Amino acid sequence: MQADLQGKVAIVTGGAVRVGKAITLALAEAGCNVFIHYGRSCAAAAQTRAEAERCGVEVETYGADLSDASAVLGVIPAVLNRFDRVDILVNSAAVFPNEGLMDTDIDSWEQQFAINLRAPFFLCQAFEKTLGDGAQGDIVNVLDARIFRPAGDHLAYRLTKSGLLTMTESLAQALAPRIRVNAVALGAILPPPGEDEAALDRIARERVPLRRSGSVEIVAANVLHLLTQPFLTGVTIRLDGGEFL
Ligand SMILES: NC(=O)c1ccc[n+]([C@@H]2O[C@H](COP(=O)([O-])OP(=O)(O)OC[C@H]3O[C@@H](n4cnc5c(N)ncnc54)[C@H](OP(=O)(O)O)[C@@H]3O)[C@@H](O)[C@H]2O)c1
């Protein structure tokens, strides 16, 4: 348990699987009640819920397709409906298609911007609106460290995550002093969906100065760090082993 997080209510988008799941469980271990948002991973959300409940906190699961604007607008009201308050918003859900300039079509562009940038934007807006008078809140956005070294791969995705960095820093100013807004920018943490650990090991050996990959536990620990350090806002912690320096 972490005294400063105990009893708070946190929502984690994409909180059922992989990176989002690790953040969900770390928040539960710190004593937060957790609202697990998921897209398609309904069964995984139930499993993550059961694991989080073992920490003795209250947990809810909620499915919403973040490419659907009206579904996005329903998320924060659903948290309030269940818990009557919301203190922490973690924007982790995203899509990561392997596309460059020439093979991105309009539908894919729209999908990536809707899920990776529009949804966090309107979740932050709803979060700010719902904070009670005098209440303090925290937002943590999950970025990708590749945005710090421009290149043509995953181009639309990069633009969404660059937008999320700008949003992090802009909202840190706009929402102070009530809400702190920070981010983690991930490098080689997990293999991309569909690839195996060997692919991640190769990246670590060939590209990461520290010659190792990260882990979801490292991500979760740094999210907790941002949430428990009251003088941090507008900060992005790079979790990339130096890969994108
Ligand atoms: N893994 C890495 O090494 C790495 C590296 C750099 C950055 N990141 C960032 O870290 C975050 C998590 O990465 P990850 O690898 O754990 O993600 P992932 O395995 O690709 O999973 C994507 C997550 O986003 C959710 N999601 C996708 N489309 C959605 C939609 N239309 N509506 C609702 N939810 C949707 C998924 O929920 P459902 O499964 O429930 O549909 C899932 O939780 C992302 O922001 C990613 O950009 C990860």
Side-chain angles (χ1 to χ4, degrees), residues 86-87 131-137 177-179:
V86 53
D87 305 288
L131 268 195
D133 281 346
Q136 302 278 313
R178 294 178 70 220
I179 303 176

Side-chain angles (χ1 to χ4, degrees), residues 13-20 37-42 64-68 91-96 111 115-116 142-146 157 161 185-193 200 216:
T13 69
V17 295
R18 288 169 49 98
V19 169
H37 158 271
Y38 65 91
R40 294 187 184 155
S41 299
C42 184
D65 177 358
L66 297 183
S67 69
D68 174 346
N91 285 306
S92 181
V95 284
F96 177 60
Q111 179 87 346
I115 297 166
N116 298 6
V142 180
L143 312 181
D144 190 312
R146 77 184 62 226
Y157 168 83
K161 292 294 186 178
L186 313 190
I189 300 295
L190 286 176
L200 193 69
V216 294

Side-chain angles (χ1 to χ4, degrees), residues 198-222:
L200 193 69
D201 289 346
R202 199 175 53 251
I203 292 171
R205 266 197 322 276
E206 293 173 4
R207 299 193 217 150
V208 179
L210 291 183
R211 300 282 178 266
R212 55 178 176 261
S213 55
S215 68
V216 294
E217 290 76 19
I218 288 173
V219 177
N222 279 277

Side-chain angles (χ1 to χ4, degrees), residues 47-134:
Q47 171 65 31
T48 302
R49 175 184 187 151
E51 290 177 41
E53 281 174 341
R54 278 184 222 129
C55 300
V57 296
E58 290 185 50
V59 186
E60 190 58 79
T61 58
Y62 182 80
D65 177 358
L66 297 183
S67 69
D68 174 346
S70 60
V72 172
L73 297 180
V75 173
I76 297 290
V79 186
L80 291 181
N81 195 32
R82 170 64 177 80
F83 287 113
D84 273 337
R85 60 186 276 189
V86 53
D87 305 288
I88 295 165
L89 165 63
V90 180
N91 285 306
S92 181
V95 284
F96 177 60
N98 188 7
E99 299 168 349
L101 175 63
M102 301 315 290
D103 52 356
T104 302
D105 63 19
I106 298 277
D107 283 349
S108 177
W109 168 280
E110 303 260 347
Q111 179 87 346
Q112 291 178 68
F113 273 78
I115 297 166
N116 298 6
L117 190 57
R118 183 178 71 187
F121 180 98
F122 287 100
L123 288 170
C124 289
Q125 184 190 68
F127 181 75
E128 197 278 335
K129 278 187 197 159
T130 58
L131 268 195
D133 281 346

